[in-house]
Amino acid sequence: DRICNIHLANDSLTLICGLSNDNILVFDIETGRIIFQILGSSHTTPITAVFSSPDSKFAVSGTADGDIKLWSIEKFLNIASLE
């Protein structure tokens, strides 16, 4: 599966990747480890945008068809969806 979008969080320590297979990966840049992964994020099309909140506690993912999801990186869950 290919990476569709990459975002370096404001803390410069966290990298968020949106993949073509509907998955989202969040990496700790210092260790290279995945700190948060969403397998099957419930987007119906490839993720075309990922961003983080200024405090790097939340991530937002979006698709070309307008589906947007807000994720808590700390709690590992979807907290809001806009379709």
Side-chain angles (χ1 to χ4, degrees):
D1 297 304
R2 63 186 170 91
I3 295 172
C4 292
N5 198 286
I6 297 174
H7 173 73
L8 179 62
N10 292 334
D11 63 8
S12 298
L13 301 173
T14 308
L15 186 70
I16 304 169
C17 301
L19 307 178
S20 63
N21 64 354
D22 192 30
N23 294 338
I24 299 168
L25 303 176
V26 180
F27 291 90
D28 179 316
I29 291 176
E30 290 183 328
T31 66
R33 290 185 173 174
I34 296 172
I35 56 173
F36 180 62
Q37 75 179 350
I38 304 159
L39 303 177
S41 66
S42 74
H43 284 295
T44 57
T45 59
I47 297 166
T48 56
V50 288
F51 295 97
S52 68
S53 63
D55 60 7
S56 302
K57 293 182 180 181
F58 301 96
V60 176
S61 58
T63 63
D65 65 358
D67 189 25
I68 300 169
K69 299 192 182 298
L70 177 64
W71 305 92
S72 169
I73 294 174
E74 293 179 330
K75 295 181 181 179
F76 304 107
L77 57 94
N78 176 236
I79 57 175
S81 296
L82 301 170
E83 298 176 17

